[in-house]
Amino acid sequence: REAGRRTYIPVMSGENKLSWQVKDLIPNCEYYFRVKAVNKIGGGEYLELRNPVIAEDPKQPPDPPVDLEVHNPTSKSVTLTWKPPLFDGGSKIMGYIIEKLAKGKERWERCNDYLVPLLTYPVKGLEEGKEYQFRVRAENAAGISEPSRITPFVKAVDPIEAPKVFLAANLQSGLEVKKGDEIILEAHISGSPYPSITWLRNDEVVRPEEIKKRVTTYKRRKKVRDSIRADHGTFTIKVENDHGVAKASCEVNVLDTPGPPVNFAFEDVRKNSVICKWEPPLDDGGSEILNYVLEKKDNTKAEMGWVTVSSTLRHCKCSVTKLIEGKEYLFRVFAENRVGSGPPCVSKPMTAKDPFSPPDPPNKPDVQDVTSNSMLVKWNEPKDNGSPIIGYWIEKREINSTHWARVNRNLVNALEIKVEGLLEGLTYIFRVCAENAAGPGKFSPPSDPKTAQDPIMPPGPPIPRVADTTSTSIELEWEPPAYNGGGDITGYHVYKQLVGVKEWSRCTEKPIKVRQYTVKEVREGADYKLRVTALNAAGEGPPGETEPVTVAEPKEPPTVELDVSVKAGIQIMAGQTLKIPATVTGRPTPTIAWTVEDGELDKDRVVIENVGTKSELTIKNALRKDHGRYVITATNSSGSKSAGTRVEVFDRPSPPRNLAVSDIKADSCYLTWDAPLDNGGSEITHYIIEKRDASRKKSEAPVTKPSVKGLEYNVLRLAEGVEYQFRVMAENLAGIGPPSEPSDPALAADPIFVPGPPSCPEVKDKTKSSVALAWKPPQKDGGSPIKGYIVEMQDEGSTDWKKVNEGDKLFPTCECVIPNL
């Protein structure tokens, strides 16, 4: 199977052989093969190649190069040429090795350091006057070939011969080729030293030639592949050596289809015909123009193709008839020579119509004498474009509509029309078009909008009032006039008058549209009157006037309003930014102070920003100690006002206190502790207990899973004999706080008590000066092995007991001897 396919194809079946030649493979294709053995029972498993095999011939060193020749000998060099081996050994020739042998020598010398990829090589470094022989070897991937035939002896001397060149016989009268064919120019060259060769086209160098070959008469070819029309001209070969210059020239004509005709134009355009004219192509393609082909196309329909008008035109003019009036056409014309048709020259679009056209549009109409139901529309007479205007059509459109409605049923032959039947209050625009024998022209631009309403009057007086005063200004507001005069209010003017002075001065340079204004340039303590006038399209109406007002700063007690987001209190986590925004008003501007109840603001961390009526307290990276009730107080000459909010800063709790260990046993103990001094602003949810082996200071392990709710805990599963330390951490909603101080080390062991009394003491033996005493151990050892016994004795008649043991020594067993009695 091929490597790119999955299906195997049988190539041999039923043969009792251990090898098989597979034929009809595709060269350079990769194949997998498999084979299985078959007996009477059936076929066994396949044996398959792991890697694919490429179908290619075996490689071997190439044959020797052939036709080795020596050219252009000089005193220092010669040029060798040869042909490739007849067989490349099944592998691409990588290059050639050139060797030389001086006369009288026995050893061949290599001339080139690197493989020569070409079929020519200039051998340099020869000794003048000596004779040499040459040979060439080819090399491929499989190795180096045998040497070529050896050249005759060649003497290293400079030849002398003036250059000569003449073109091949078939080029003497010039060369004519078709576009795309090769231009082959063959020249015969001689000269010694071998001349340099230069090809020129129209006296411009085509390609310099540097390879020099020494022959008595040699053919030099110049090839231009895939020739184009621009390649035509005079080709010249120029050969030159130290003894002269020779030239030979040939006229080359590249035949091609002609270029497009030029300067397509129309004459005598009519509604059913037109005369098309053009000029011959700038390039006839090297052959006489035999014919022109003219085609037309309906340019209003993209799907319509080109239609031939005439294909036998000998001249550059054609009358086209049977056109459809009003249609737009395209024309194109091709030139033909004996090679074929060239590209077309395409005309501009042409509409089949008579020389005159509909009139131009009038200018924008002027609308006058507006009433609630009529308007007078006037316009100017436009250019008639060759046919007298026979009348006008007028259309109207309500400004908010998209539909134009015809005003007149018949053509109007005047330059104005009174449009009646309009709806009061609606705004209209108008447009006009003129008509002549060619038909109606385009409409004019629409007129300026006009509202159907009776002529307007100046508006009535506005209603002003003084909104505020300062020591340098008066804030004035007003209501619009009750009567607008029949037209929209376009603006207002404000005037002022110092009481006691007759003249009024206008405060506004231009009409203002807002109904408020700040009157400046007034004197503190002085009394002023203010008036406001309204304007519409009819002009300025009568003024509305205020009572006298004194210029003074009003007094208003301060107000303080906390932002609604903080009024109910603030709760943040430690490390977050605390912001308390407030709004403060008052006249004069109050002074602002922030305080915190039962504490002081940390001036290094608290930032207070007052801008206009806004005041904001900010603390970045809030700490637990920043909690409390924050109060803002505003004060001016009219009083004082405060507002406050409660701030809670939640943090992890502080460490638990007074951790104590009690009731220590071999596998358990009991822990108690006190709650943290600060719960972090949030209720303690539970406690976490950790233990460690007192001998391993860094190793800690949690004791409690789940965590402990109360202030005590019985620790179980201790390892007997290990000394432990414990610590406790509190946790709230903010997290786990730092641990308590570690407990004192506690040894996991049961408690030890005083042992019980021994029993059954008795005298086992006695002498005149000693007694041997024995007893039984106590029933209870107190939880610890008995270390020893203390024996006491009492003299008869005495009430005091004396210790028998010497010093602090104990009797280790339940017997002893009391000497020295």
Side-chain angles (χ1 to χ4, degrees), residues 310-552:
S310 176
S311 59
T312 58
L313 297 172
R314 300 285 297 173
H315 303 289
C316 298
K317 186 175 183 180
C318 179
S319 177
V320 183
T321 59
K322 298 182 181 180
L323 301 180
I324 300 174
E325 183 179 4
K327 276 199 173 182
E328 186 178 76
Y329 292 90
L330 284 177
F331 292 87
R332 67 181 183 185
V333 62
F334 304 83
E336 292 184 345
N337 60 10
R338 58 192 174 95
V339 177
S341 296
C345 172
V346 182
S347 73
K348 294 181 179 179
M350 187 280 300
T351 303
K353 62 180 181 178
D354 288 325
F356 53 84
S357 59
D360 286 351
N363 290 340
K364 182 171 73 172
D366 182 29
V367 180
Q368 302 175 0
D369 299 341
V370 178
T371 70
S372 60
N373 61 3
S374 68
M375 299 180 189
L376 180 64
V377 182
K378 294 184 176 182
W379 60 90
N380 68 311
E381 184 177 3
K383 184 179 178 182
D384 61 12
N385 292 327
S387 176
I389 293 174
I390 59 176
Y392 298 90
W393 295 105
I394 300 89
E395 292 184 346
K396 67 181 179 181
R397 178 167 72 86
E398 202 279 318
I399 193 67
N400 293 320
S401 173
T402 58
H403 175 68
W404 288 93
R406 181 69 60 85
V407 171
N408 53 319
R409 294 184 178 180
N410 300 311
L411 282 169
V412 173
N413 54 13
L415 295 177
E416 63 178 40
I417 184 174
K418 185 175 182 180
V419 182
E420 297 182 334
L422 303 179
L423 298 177
E424 185 175 3
L426 295 184
T427 302
Y428 294 90
I429 54 176
F430 299 89
R431 66 181 184 181
V432 182
C433 75
E435 184 175 334
N436 62 10
K442 293 183 178 180
F443 276 97
S444 68
S447 66
D448 292 333
K450 295 289 184 179
T451 302
Q453 59 187 12
D454 291 326
I456 63 174
M457 301 294 290
I463 306 170
R465 67 179 183 86
V466 175
D468 196 8
T469 63
T470 69
S471 59
T472 58
S473 65
I474 303 172
E475 293 288 337
L476 185 65
E477 297 177 351
W478 58 90
E479 296 295 328
Y483 172 63
N484 64 4
D488 292 337
I489 301 296
T490 58
Y492 298 90
H493 276 304
V494 178
Y495 297 84
K496 67 180 177 181
Q497 181 194 55
L498 181 63
V499 174
V501 177
K502 293 183 179 180
E503 293 80 11
W504 288 84
S505 60
R506 197 170 76 183
C507 304
T508 49
E509 293 184 8
K510 297 178 180 179
I512 60 174
K513 293 188 177 183
V514 295
R515 297 199 307 274
Q516 60 182 26
Y517 186 77
T518 301
V519 180
K520 299 182 179 179
E521 298 180 4
V522 291
R523 297 202 308 264
E524 185 176 9
D527 293 333
Y528 287 86
K529 286 184 178 181
L530 304 176
R531 60 170 52 166
V532 183
T533 60
L535 296 88
N536 63 10
E540 187 175 9
E545 191 172 311
T546 68
E547 295 294 325
V549 57
T550 302
V551 178

Side-chain angles (χ1 to χ4, degrees), residues 167-222:
L167 296 171
N170 65 323
L171 302 178
Q172 298 299 319
S173 59
L175 177 65
E176 187 173 84
V177 298
K178 288 186 178 181
K179 174 189 174 183
D181 292 346
E182 285 188 341
I183 301 174
I184 303 176
L185 303 178
E186 184 177 302
H188 300 266
I189 305 164
S190 64
S192 182
Y194 189 74
S196 63
I197 302 170
T198 305
W199 282 95
L200 303 99
R201 176 180 166 276
N202 297 335
D203 295 329
E204 293 185 0
V205 174
V206 176
R207 180 172 65 87
E209 181 63 73
E210 297 182 356
I211 298 177
K212 301 176 181 178
K213 300 182 180 180
R214 171 61 175 166
V215 291
T216 303
T217 301
Y218 185 72
K219 296 180 180 179
R220 170 63 62 186
R221 287 188 175 186
K222 166 65 180 175

